[in-house]
Amino acid sequence: MTIPRHRLRRPASLIPSGIAAAVPGGPDPDAVPLLPARDYSRLKALLRRLRDPADPTAQVLADKLGRCRVVPPGDLPSWVAALGTRIVFAVEGGAILSRTLAMPEDDPQDGTALAVSTPVGAALLGTAARDLVEAVGQDGRRAALRLLAVHHGPGRWPATAMPPDRRAGSAALRSRERHSDGPPRGRDMTRVRRMSMQAGTETAALRPPLLMSMGDHDRLVALAEVAARRSPLVARLLQEETDRAEVVPAGGQVPAGVVALGSVAEFRDAATGETRRVQLVLPGEADIAEGRISVLSLVGAGLVGLSEGQSIDWPTQDGRLRRLTVLRVGAPPPA
């Protein structure tokens, strides 16, 4: 039975008195789920294992993955529920509970974890503290859930972590966002990427920020899974890169100058001093003689997601590091 909307707006009786005053009165219709890239990859794989498309939990996960914002793990705000976080939440008509969000295979079945393959786990994943959401059961019944607090582990944030009040004035909110540990947006993100590139050139092992479209990200995650046995080194490196990349949401556009699947990139290999011009393609389209290299090659996996001017320290087959620098990025040639 569907819970009336007015009952979803003020579940204050479910929230401890010390927290209730800080919690907004109703759900935010514009709230976008936030997921770290590594969670996004694992949830995509989980969704493929949920065979029944009519399953309400599968539908919730599919909707969440389709409209979420994917961020590098270090950019996830401390008040957002992710895999491995300890969450405190209230269920309408029930007690306040504390569980650790987990993949179904990581659930010890001892009551301490909440699998994201369950209606409640799927609903709370990617949600910010204070948010109100609905969980849809296998029988179609709905229950109101309030996420009260998120704990990312020792040294990360106290168990009562709360986000900035989204009802505050827009200028004050923007100021808090710029100084919070959340991911910068728009011009701020561009500035952070440039600063990271400049600072990174002096580090011993340079791994600059990456940018990928959601379509490329999905393909690369799938390729890494397929190649795990045949090319374990490249598969592991590609998985690490997709885990830390910033992902442009579906419908968005990757800026010009970013190496994507199909891009023509000119780069310099500091180990040899050579400058090469290649097109990054899927494995079945690779042809060294034509200058098309697979994204499952060591060089291809190292270039994807980089922007013009960025450098990365990338391993060779024998374990040494070589620095690859992207000089220019062009659009794919006409078919």
Side-chain angles (χ1 to χ4, degrees):
M1 182 173 62
T2 302
I3 298 172
R5 302 302 298 178
H6 71 275
R7 291 180 66 187
L8 293 177
R9 292 191 173 276
R10 296 189 181 277
S13 60
L14 300 179
I15 303 171
S17 58
I19 297 176
V23 177
D28 180 359
D30 299 322
V32 175
L34 279 179
L35 294 176
R38 61 188 174 212
D39 286 12
Y40 179 84
S41 302
R42 298 187 71 187
L43 292 168
K44 277 283 188 180
L46 172 62
L47 192 58
R48 288 193 290 269
R49 300 202 304 265
L50 299 177
R51 301 179 184 276
D52 184 5
D55 177 58
T57 303
Q59 292 176 349
V60 169
L61 285 175
D63 173 72
K64 190 159 289 193
L65 291 173
R67 64 187 181 88
C68 68
R69 182 179 173 208
V70 184
V71 299
D75 285 346
L76 185 73
S78 54
W79 52 80
V80 174
L83 286 171
T85 59
R86 189 77 176 174
I87 59 173
V88 181
F89 62 98
V91 183
E92 184 177 33
I96 294 174
L97 304 172
S98 177
R99 299 286 188 273
T100 298
L101 278 178
M103 292 288 286
E105 60 268 24
D106 298 331
D107 185 354
Q109 301 292 323
D110 59 359
T112 62
L114 176 64
V116 293
S117 56
T118 63
V120 173
L124 291 173
L125 184 71
T127 300
R130 293 196 184 118
D131 278 359
L132 182 66
V133 296
E134 283 184 325
V136 184
Q138 299 293 334
D139 58 359
R141 293 196 174 193
R142 299 173 180 268
L145 307 171
R146 175 78 76 175
L147 182 60
L148 303 178
V150 180
H151 184 210
H152 282 256
R156 174 67 171 145
W157 202 262
T160 54
M162 290 286 183
D165 189 350
R166 283 176 297 200
R167 300 195 175 203
S170 58
L173 179 57
R174 284 195 299 269
S175 174
R176 278 200 296 268
E177 286 179 340
R178 283 196 297 269
H179 293 88
S180 73
D181 64 354
R185 297 175 173 84
R187 293 181 180 177
D188 286 345
M189 177 58 76
T190 302
R191 178 175 57 83
V192 168
R193 272 200 291 269
R194 287 175 180 167
M195 291 172 61
S196 299
M197 284 188 288
Q198 294 167 359
T201 58
E202 300 176 358
T203 63
L206 178 59
R207 290 293 178 92
L210 302 176
L211 192 62
M212 297 179 185
S213 69
M214 188 167 285
D216 277 7
H217 187 272
D218 289 350
R219 292 186 189 96
L220 297 176
V221 169
L223 283 172
E225 292 177 358
V226 171
R229 289 188 177 182
R230 180 166 50 87
S231 305
L233 173 61
V234 177
R236 177 178 59 81
L237 292 170
L238 194 57
Q239 184 65 63
E240 290 175 358
E241 296 298 89
T242 55
D243 280 354
R244 69 186 189 85
E246 178 190 356
V247 181
V248 177
Q253 188 171 1
V254 175
V258 176
V259 181
L261 284 173
S263 295
V264 175
E266 185 176 336
F267 70 97
R268 182 175 61 250
D269 186 343
T272 63
E274 294 180 351
T275 296
R276 295 177 58 190
R277 188 172 183 268
V278 298
Q279 183 183 11
L280 193 64
V281 296
L282 293 171
E285 302 167 353
D287 186 337
I288 296 296
E290 297 292 331
R292 297 193 297 269
I293 66 170
S294 169
V295 72
L296 282 181
S297 66
L298 265 178
V299 171
L303 292 176
V304 67
L306 293 177
S307 303
E308 288 180 351
Q310 281 186 318
S311 299
I312 189 169
D313 287 339
W314 201 244
T316 60
Q317 288 287 0
D318 59 7
R320 294 178 298 170
L321 288 180
R322 59 177 171 178
R323 180 160 295 188
L324 308 177
T325 300
V326 177
L327 305 176
R328 277 176 290 278
V329 180

